[in-house]
Amino acid sequence: MRWVVGDIQGCAVELELLLKAIRFDPASDELWAAGDLINRGPASLATLEIWHDIGGLAVLGNHEVYALSVHAGRWPRKRDTLSELFASDQADTWFAVVGRFPALQHLPNDREGQSSAWLVHAGIHPAWTDLHATAKRINEAKRDVRWFESDEVRFATRVRGCTREGERSRFSGPPEAIDAPYRPWDEFYRGVDTIVHGHWASRGYHRTQRVIGLDSGCVYGGRLTAWCQDEDRIVSVASRQPRR
């Protein structure tokens, strides 16, 4: 079974609860994280360890970009919950792993009647009409500091609202509160494959015919949500974090 889990953000206890709820078997199952494995929650290092031990896979989220940039000395450190990770004697190894996450990942489905999916942390630019070509161009580019700060990586890891031309809004509230000319990015998506994403906690779990949003605000006291691609099934567990 292939599972995709929304933003974990250092909520290691909830990740373990979710793995039990879905009866995850590393020998036969696959787990993809929709970015933001780390930060804001209490146990980023433990989350990475659990994820790594089960053979987890992931796309890049904005909190990974932040942590990588701070670790490299490119960005100033802000208020975060990454002290244990930064202080780990394996920090360089962890950041090497995180730094290789793709920005956009194809999730094929060979089961009859089931469509393929694409996984991205935040969203898809309206101009990205050929996702295979887009993923190849972005993911295979040189991973230097300019890559992490590029417009395409910023869009894939940060967008919520944008214009039809792809101008990104910094808005982070619920979709109904976006001011024109900005709209939720998925209103401009015209592809046939399912897009699975995280990043929009104020929107919560969200589903339309072609889009599945899995960030149900675990770190804010909501839920940790996962989608089984093989069975088109949702499973979630309650957060153990205080409601914010």
Side-chain angles (χ1 to χ4, degrees):
M1 296 287 188
R2 176 182 290 140
W3 290 88
V4 183
V5 60
D7 302 36
I8 303 169
Q9 296 202 254
C11 296
V13 170
E14 289 86 345
L15 176 57
E16 290 186 315
L17 290 171
L18 180 68
L19 293 172
K20 291 178 181 178
I22 64 176
R23 300 181 180 180
F24 187 83
D25 182 355
S28 57
D29 297 334
E30 181 178 287
L31 181 75
W32 280 90
D36 282 5
L37 278 159
I38 59 175
N39 202 18
R40 288 197 173 146
S44 291
L45 181 58
T47 296
L48 286 173
E49 290 170 342
I50 295 166
W51 168 86
H52 182 268
D53 286 347
I54 63 170
L57 301 161
V59 293
L60 188 72
N62 58 297
H63 283 279
E64 281 82 37
V65 172
Y66 163 79
L68 286 159
S69 299
V70 171
H71 181 69
R74 292 282 301 180
W75 290 4
R77 190 170 177 187
K78 300 178 181 179
R79 183 179 179 182
D80 61 48
T81 62
L82 296 170
S83 295
E84 188 179 17
L85 176 58
F86 285 139
S88 168
D89 58 5
Q90 296 296 312
D92 289 344
T93 300
W94 282 120
F95 285 117
V97 171
V98 170
R100 293 193 293 270
F101 288 175
L104 181 61
Q105 178 65 39
H106 184 228
L107 301 177
N109 195 332
D110 297 329
R111 296 198 173 205
E112 185 176 354
Q114 298 293 322
S115 64
S116 295
W118 285 89
L119 178 61
V120 66
H121 177 58
I124 300 295
H125 193 287
W128 295 351
T129 55
D130 185 340
L131 292 181
H132 287 281
T134 300
K136 180 178 177 63
R137 182 182 67 252
I138 298 175
N139 294 337
E140 295 183 6
K142 182 180 179 181
R143 295 289 178 108
D144 56 16
V145 293
R146 290 173 295 180
W147 186 87
F148 290 99
E149 297 173 5
S150 68
D151 289 342
E152 289 188 314
V153 171
R154 283 181 177 270
F155 197 96
T157 59
R158 292 180 178 276
V159 69
R160 293 184 182 93
C162 67
T163 64
R164 189 176 302 277
E165 293 74 31
E167 179 187 347
R168 181 169 60 88
S169 169
R170 294 183 180 275
F171 177 83
S172 62
E176 61 272 14
I178 297 180
D179 291 328
Y182 301 103
R183 300 300 306 150
W185 66 267
D186 50 289
E187 291 191 12
F188 304 114
Y189 174 62
R190 297 294 181 265
V192 297
D193 289 334
T194 300
I195 305 296
V196 186
H197 71 96
H199 188 59
W200 206 339
S202 63
R203 193 182 212 183
Y205 168 66
H206 170 76
R207 180 149 194 181
T208 64
Q209 185 176 358
R210 295 175 297 175
V211 175
I212 302 174
L214 293 176
D215 184 2
S216 46
C218 182
V219 76
Y220 301 113
R223 301 186 72 83
L224 185 61
T225 301
W227 172 63
C228 178
Q229 183 179 13
D230 302 79
E231 299 179 342
D232 194 12
R233 177 164 59 98
I234 292 290
V235 175
S236 69
V237 296
S239 173
R240 298 302 192 266
Q241 308 306 311
R243 176 66 67 173
R244 290 191 260 169

